[in-house]
Amino acid sequence: MAIVISAVTALSLSACTPDTAPPQSGTNTATATTDAPTPPQQVDTTFTFATAADPSGLDPALEVDTESYRVTRQILETLVSVDPVTGEPVPHLATDWSSSNGGLSYTFELREDVTFHDGTEFNAQAVCFNFERWFTLPQSVREERAGLQFQTVFRAFANAPDISAYQDCEVQGRHKFTLELNERYTGLIPALTMPAFGISSPTALKAGNADVLNKKRDGHQLSAYAMHPVGTGPYTFESWSADDVVLKSYSHYWGNRGQIRKVIFTTIADSRLRLEALKDGRIDGYDLVTADSFEPLAKAGMKVLLRDPFSVLYMGINQDVEPLDDPLVREALAHAVDKQKIVDTLFIDGTEPADSFLPQIFDITAPEAPEYEYDPDKARAQLKKSGYDGEEITFHYPLDITRAYLPRPERVYAMLSRQLTAVGFNLKPMPVEWTDGYLQKVQSNGPHGLHLLGWSGSYRDPDNFIGPLFGMDSAEFGYSNEELFSTIDSARQTPSGEERIEAYQEIETTLSEEIPAVPLAFPISALALSPRVESYPVSPVLDEVFNEIVLSE
């Protein structure tokens, strides 16, 4: 769902009307569409989009950040795409698929007459080359990159074949292949919509030594390929310099090229400067609109599109650090937080307080799970019962970053800090620049106590939230529960239905009892667009490819 707010509407969400995304040409049919005619000359076919941060790299198999994926979605395509209305998987580079052998085999039919940007033919052999590359990533690359999406979906790489869900990719014909699994994964097809599974040209992967990270950009190790990716998408890579990534329309694209012939992603870290750039006409749009920007955007005649919530903000708790190893202290933390006030004060209207880690779209609630209503008196009582004597607890939070789940981290921390100190906690603020290794500081073994972080979903399956956060021993939370891990592992393999829902209810109950983190909110994220944008393919999982944008003439 997208909601548009413009200067002619009231600012309350009740006055908003839905925006309609343009049809995704070629994504639901096996027949390729023809090239769109050259757009009229009066339309400016360059589209400039401001991002909150630079991409880390442009090889999506080795990155996990939103801004990298925002760029690579335009260049590399996946076998399966996302329906903009229902959110369900739909054909893309694969035109059809079927499962057999109890969900251990998936056979895909591929689109014909598709070429990579370097002229290499797209076929089953190219797809299997990519799967084998992901499976056999060298250990040096895996050590450099934590949390790769291949591992979150397939569990392990070639060095641990007994653990990995991936077994083999078998070419069955020029445009047909079979993916063989060692274990069932119910969310496999939705997972393949992630940009991490974008199909690269095998020729370009080899030429760019994709698995040799011997380049460096902003302290981030990259391969030559990660600085010049090659896919089958509607846009080809042109340049990446300073704060700008430039793409151009691929003249031989198999689908609808759309109106936009040139895309410029420019980094403007400060949300206020992004707002001014849009008002001044220097950019055509930007993401991660903050709540206090709505009024100036509306007064300037700009459009604001809201995404359905598909992320969770949480306060992480490291149980390896005293006194956070005490369940009574964690319960006190949960009762001390006024989530509703945080949501009402700091987030976009429509954001809901979170009592679990699964957004409402999954419609999974755990009736047996303990509830931690805002109750400062109970928080004080639990602290007293625990014996907490006012010892200092560090609280990490990021600076100079905007995320879908955390648009204003400094302000969220300030409000949480006031609430926690009001019931007796003694906090030591630990502000860290996002680019100064914030994630490493709060997700690795170390003395961190509390921290602010979140998770943005990238495909519609509950395992996409539960598995990466709580499916294994966690240095972030200092948390280990082998019985829970086994339940999570079983749930991801269970076919859709009541049994799977009950498994996730059990998981949510355990997490609520043991409190490795306190879920705070399911934030709504928003993007702002200039009036010349008639339609934009807004998506809760950010499956937003710019050939689908419609501009006014």
Side-chain angles (χ1 to χ4, degrees):
M1 176 189 72
I3 300 175
V4 181
I5 298 176
S6 68
V8 298
T9 65
L11 286 179
S12 64
L13 294 188
S14 61
C16 301
T17 56
D19 182 58
T20 302
Q24 291 191 318
S25 301
T27 58
N28 293 308
T29 175
T31 303
T33 58
T34 58
D35 262 1
T38 301
Q41 291 302 310
Q42 65 265 31
V43 176
D44 179 0
T45 61
T46 297
F47 191 84
T48 303
F49 192 90
T51 62
D54 292 336
S56 296
L58 300 181
D59 179 356
L62 302 186
E63 306 301 340
V64 296
D65 66 293
T66 298
E67 300 306 347
S68 294
Y69 289 163
R70 194 190 304 277
V71 177
T72 62
R73 283 185 189 275
Q74 319 299 323
I75 302 170
L76 288 87
E77 297 181 296
T78 49
L79 297 171
V80 186
S81 187
V82 180
D83 186 283
V85 177
T86 68
E88 295 299 318
V90 292
H92 200 66
L93 286 178
T95 58
D96 194 17
W97 57 84
S98 61
S99 64
S100 58
N101 192 23
L104 296 179
S105 299
Y106 281 83
T107 298
F108 294 82
E109 300 282 349
L110 299 178
R111 191 175 298 280
E112 300 181 12
D113 300 321
V114 176
T115 59
F116 291 98
H117 302 152
D118 60 3
T120 301
E121 180 189 6
F122 168 77
N123 53 30
Q125 187 173 1
V127 173
C128 285
F129 184 95
N130 278 262
F131 270 99
E132 286 299 309
R133 181 234 171 176
W134 302 327
F135 182 54
T136 60
L137 279 174
Q139 183 175 348
S140 59
V141 175
R142 301 197 309 272
E143 290 175 349
E144 178 70 25
R145 298 288 199 272
L148 294 181
Q149 297 289 18
F150 183 89
Q151 185 173 14
T152 67
V153 174
F154 293 100
R155 295 164 51 87
F157 298 91
N159 65 316
D162 294 338
I163 301 175
S164 181
Y166 176 87
Q167 182 184 112
D168 196 14
C169 184
E170 298 178 357
V171 175
Q172 304 290 351
R174 189 172 178 182
H175 295 100
K176 183 177 180 179
F177 76 96
T178 298
L179 198 61
E180 299 288 355
L181 306 180
N182 289 317
E183 64 180 40
R184 179 188 176 98
Y185 181 41
T186 302
L188 176 66
I189 296 301
L192 293 180
T193 66
M194 288 194 294
F197 295 107
I199 305 299
S200 294
S201 161
T203 304
L205 287 170
K206 295 173 187 175
N209 292 317
D211 298 338
V212 179
L213 309 185
N214 57 359
K215 310 290 182 182
K216 183 173 286 189
R217 184 181 177 92
D218 297 331
H220 197 61
Q221 293 295 133
L222 301 171
S223 69
Y225 178 77
M227 302 175 75
H228 193 144
V230 178
T232 61
Y235 297 97
T236 65
F237 176 85
E238 186 170 287
S239 64
W240 184 10
S241 58
D243 292 328
D244 291 349
V245 177
V246 180
L247 312 179
K248 61 182 179 180
S249 179
Y250 179 41
S251 60
H252 298 294
Y253 181 55
W254 59 267
N256 177 16
R257 289 177 64 195
Q259 290 176 292
I260 295 170
R261 293 295 184 257
K262 184 176 184 179
V263 176
I264 302 173
F265 291 103
T266 186
T267 302
I268 305 177
D270 191 309
S271 61
R272 294 165 297 181
L273 296 180
R274 293 198 296 274
L275 169 62
E276 292 305 314
L278 182 63
K279 290 166 59 179
D280 294 345
R282 289 179 282 125
I283 62 174
D284 295 295
Y286 72 90
D287 204 350
L288 305 178
V289 173
T290 54
D292 55 3
S293 299
F294 274 56
E295 185 173 356
L297 284 167
K299 287 181 177 178
M302 303 300 165
K303 297 178 179 179
V304 177
L305 273 61
L306 308 184
R307 300 185 182 93
D308 285 336
F310 203 62
S311 63
V312 59
L313 168 67
Y314 59 80
M315 178 175 67
I317 304 172
N318 183 5
Q319 297 182 28
D320 275 343
V321 174
E322 295 182 349
L324 301 178
D325 58 339
D326 188 333
L328 293 174
V329 172
R330 298 199 298 276
E331 288 178 19
L333 286 167
H335 283 297
V337 177
D338 187 347
K339 300 176 186 179
Q340 190 67 57
K341 185 174 182 180
I342 292 172
V343 164
D344 291 345
T345 307
L346 301 177
F347 288 85
I348 294 171
D349 286 351
T351 295
E352 295 289 341
D355 291 320
S356 75
F357 295 93
L358 290 176
Q360 301 98 317
I361 195 171
F362 294 114
D363 196 24
I364 297 175
T365 57
E368 303 299 322
E371 295 183 6
Y372 301 99
E373 71 282 359
Y374 173 56
D375 190 337
D377 290 336
K378 190 166 187 177
R380 294 186 188 97
Q382 295 294 79
L383 271 187
K384 183 177 180 180
K385 187 176 179 181
S386 75
Y388 174 69
D389 60 1
E391 58 203 272
E392 193 172 67
I393 301 173
T394 62
F395 197 137
H396 285 71
Y397 60 95
L399 299 175
D400 297 326
I401 193 65
T402 306
R403 285 289 181 263
Y405 52 77
L406 191 56
R408 290 291 179 86
E410 298 92 340
R411 295 180 65 183
V412 173
Y413 166 76
M415 186 168 287
L416 276 172
S417 175
R418 288 193 295 270
Q419 294 174 359
L420 297 181
T421 55
V423 303
F425 284 101
N426 178 18
L427 303 179
K428 179 181 180 180
M430 300 290 290
V432 179
E433 294 282 345
W434 184 268
T435 55
D436 192 30
Y438 179 77
L439 287 178
Q440 183 179 8
K441 285 179 170 60
V442 301
Q443 292 183 328
S444 58
N445 292 314
H448 62 278
L450 303 174
H451 65 275
L452 275 179
L453 203 57
W455 181 265
S456 292
S458 46
Y459 62 96
R460 191 175 292 195
D461 190 88
D463 185 66
N464 182 225
F465 283 82
I466 296 298
L469 289 174
F470 305 112
M472 62 190 75
D473 287 342
S474 170
E476 178 180 357
F477 307 117
Y479 179 62
S480 182
N481 182 331
E482 292 299 329
E483 184 176 346
L484 175 68
F485 300 160
S486 177
T487 303
I488 292 174
D489 184 50
S490 176
R492 78 193 298 271
Q493 300 180 53
T494 303
S496 298
E498 190 61 34
E499 184 180 351
R500 196 168 197 243
I501 291 173
E502 290 174 356
Y504 281 106
Q505 289 175 329
E506 179 183 343
I507 291 165
E508 283 290 306
T509 299
T510 300
L511 292 173
S512 187
E513 291 171 345
E514 301 190 350
I515 321 178
V518 176
L520 300 174
F522 295 125
I524 284 182
S525 68
L527 59 125
L529 299 166
S530 74
R532 81 186 190 104
V533 181
E534 290 190 359
S535 183
Y536 181 96
V538 64
S539 164
V541 294
L542 302 184
D543 188 31
E544 300 167 355
V545 185
F546 287 4
N547 65 318
E548 301 292 345
I549 294 174
V550 176
L551 304 175
S552 59
E553 298 184 4

